[in-house]
Amino acid sequence: MILEVCVDSVESAVNAELGGADRIELCGDLIVGGTTPSLALYEKIREKINIPIHVLLRPRFGDFLYSEEEIEILSRQAATFSAAGADALVIGCLTADGQLDTEVLNRIMNAGKGTPCNLHRAFDMCRDLDEALETARKLGIVSILTSGGVTSAPDGIQTLNRLKQNARNVDIMAGAGINSQNLSYMLEHSCLTAFHMSGKKVLPSQMKYRNPHVNMGMPGFSEYEILRTDTKKIQKARAVLDSWTVSYTHLTL
């Protein structure tokens, strides 16, 4: 049972490892779904934790149809993080008609010089998930993070099961809306063995002076709330997975 935790800070990475995560997906700006992190952040986290680090490559918030300039940036980022020792790269690019862009993905994978590549939830935006799975398999994608093409993984459980059964050598990892409360349901109703979560909690800013007349970010986002991975939330999820593993092992014996 694999538990991957997505993080965008040193503190969250440390908390994820303390909670029992098997690996992290390192991003920047998780509040908008994640973008490519800085190399400095990757290097600092590598100093602090011992579990594998998978690095998200996404040049901006929004769709997954990229300009030539953005594709060049993604390729350079793939080369940079591969050279830095990333355990895997997490990528995803689409054509305008909702298919995986095999030409662009190949360019990025080649730039990564053999570093294993996972597919992020751009997969869920494809018009045909079964077709996209076959394309990913042919590309040599190792793992696909997916909710089954819907907003949350528990709601996509039937599609996730179908994908898992047809995936062959590609690992299907359920993500979006995963927490310790619904993990038991996911385990009882699926054949999945890999799960992705953030386990975030909101921390209040330590700023004493707050200018009420200025908003520095997107409307509705507070500058005075900080999202951090909560060690206890990860520990609870880990306990559910470990309990299930023990029960399954006992039954098979």
Side-chain angles (χ1 to χ4, degrees), residues 165-181:
Q165 291 165 359
N166 296 332
R168 287 183 277 180
N169 58 327
V170 180
D171 192 27
I172 299 298
M173 179 168 55
I178 298 292
N179 55 52
S180 60
Q181 288 75 40

Side-chain angles (χ1 to χ4, degrees), residues 122-135 144 146-150 159 162-163:
F123 176 84
D124 286 321
M125 305 304 286
C126 291
R127 64 180 182 181
D128 186 325
L129 298 189
D130 297 292
E131 176 186 72
L133 171 60
E134 183 62 17
T135 300
I144 298 173
T146 173
S147 60
V150 293
T159 300
R162 185 180 77 246
L163 292 169

Side-chain angles (χ1 to χ4, degrees), residues 67-98:
S67 67
E68 179 58 33
E69 288 77 12
E70 290 170 328
I71 295 166
E72 178 60 28
I73 289 169
L74 285 165
S75 297
R76 293 186 183 189
Q77 290 171 338
T80 296
F81 283 105
S82 175
D87 296 285
L89 305 175
V90 187
I91 61 178
C93 305
L94 303 183
T95 63
D97 61 355

Side-chain angles (χ1 to χ4, degrees), residues 7 86 120 164 169 173 214-215 243:
V7 306
H120 58 54
K164 177 68 173 177
N169 58 327
M173 179 168 55
V214 179
N215 186 301
S243 175

